[in-house]
Amino acid sequence: INQYDLKTNKFHPLKITGITQKPSYRQALHLLERLVQVMMPDSTGNIWFGTYVGLLKYDLHKNTFSYYENDETNPASLSQNTVNSICELNGSMFFGTALGGISVMDTGKETFTNYRNDPFNPSSLSDNSITVLYKDRENRIWAGTKGGGINMLEPPCTDFVLYTNEMLKVNTNLNTSIHSIFAICKGRDSDLYIGSDNGFSILNTVTGNSKLLQTAYIRNGIKVPCPVFSIVRSRTGEYWLGGIGFCLHAIRSIWWV
């Protein structure tokens, strides 16, 4: 973790301080400083870091860190230690994990409510491997998965609405057993723009219709789809796509046909 100083135009390593020295913390400390998967500021000014070995919260005012990890004896702890994605809704922090589904922290009590797949409940999370979380303007949480499509949660409801890979058309002509969602972004009107290992998809959240805009590149003499890993909207209205087979691609407008 590095901190950028605007005055000196230099980066400085941010040392992890203020963590209770439990044995598990000491063992993971050198990894926490290096294996950062995702970071996000919250509405109160804290900065959250998702790592491969737990979750960190940096208090800017106190210049201290808090560390959260899975405790198998405590069902109200972080569901799994590899945190891939973070978002905030109504003061609660949502954490998408690699194998433990979604953990939602009550920041006042610092306890977690965990959502996992239940094979006997069709309204549960479809897959425990969460690749990306996205909060839309309607305060809904969209969770992209590694194999289970996209799940939508509209708190305080705890039932998930599933959009399968087939519905999203992310597996068309793709010879792989796993179809991952990497990016979700608000598009025009009621559309969601989705990046996956099969390219760029559009989902209309009102009608449920979707379409795939697929590009390809040549790998070892074979034409393969270009995965899209990131989608960002600029202030001037373009949508920037980043992936394999192209560095950046800008789209100004997309229309249903």
Side-chain angles (χ1 to χ4, degrees), residues 60-247:
L60 285 169
H61 305 293
K62 297 179 181 179
N63 192 32
T64 58
F65 282 90
S66 299
Y67 175 50
Y68 307 90
E69 65 176 347
N70 173 254
D71 179 353
E72 294 182 356
T73 66
N74 181 10
S77 69
L78 183 68
S79 62
Q80 197 257 340
N81 284 338
T82 301
V83 178
N84 290 332
S85 188
I86 304 172
C87 71
E88 181 182 10
L89 176 62
N90 298 331
S92 294
M93 300 301 301
F94 287 69
F95 305 102
T97 69
L99 296 171
I102 299 173
S103 272
V104 183
M105 175 190 269
D106 181 323
T107 53
K109 299 178 181 178
E110 295 199 337
T111 57
F112 295 84
T113 299
N114 297 315
Y115 297 95
R116 298 183 177 90
N117 172 256
D118 178 352
F120 300 104
N121 180 5
S123 296
S124 70
L125 194 64
S126 67
D127 193 282
N128 288 330
S129 182
I130 307 300
T131 51
V132 60
L133 294 175
Y134 176 75
K135 180 182 76 70
D136 67 15
R137 297 170 187 170
E138 288 73 37
N139 286 331
R140 297 174 295 187
I141 300 293
W142 298 83
T145 70
K146 187 176 182 180
I150 291 179
N151 297 256
M152 188 273 288
L153 180 68
E154 192 168 7
C157 179
T158 58
D159 290 339
F160 288 87
V161 177
L162 172 61
Y163 296 84
T164 65
N165 284 330
E166 288 74 19
M167 294 171 64
L168 300 170
K169 297 182 172 63
V170 301
N171 60 346
T172 305
N173 300 322
L174 187 63
N175 295 320
T176 179
S177 59
I178 298 177
H179 315 293
S180 297
I181 306 297
F182 299 120
I184 303 174
C185 181
K186 181 70 176 69
R188 181 177 60 88
D189 299 328
S190 56
D191 290 347
L192 275 186
Y193 296 162
I194 299 162
S196 72
D197 50 9
N198 200 35
F200 178 72
S201 297
I202 306 170
L203 171 68
N204 185 289
T205 59
V206 174
T207 66
N209 294 330
S210 64
K211 67 177 178 179
L212 174 68
L213 303 179
Q214 189 180 59
T215 57
Y217 70 105
I218 303 301
R219 182 177 66 189
N220 298 327
I222 301 174
K223 187 177 180 181
V224 296
C226 291
V228 173
F229 295 117
S230 181
I231 306 172
V232 177
R233 186 181 187 274
S234 72
R235 292 182 179 178
T236 54
E238 295 94 355
Y239 289 87
W240 290 86
L241 279 58
I244 294 178
F246 58 93
C247 293

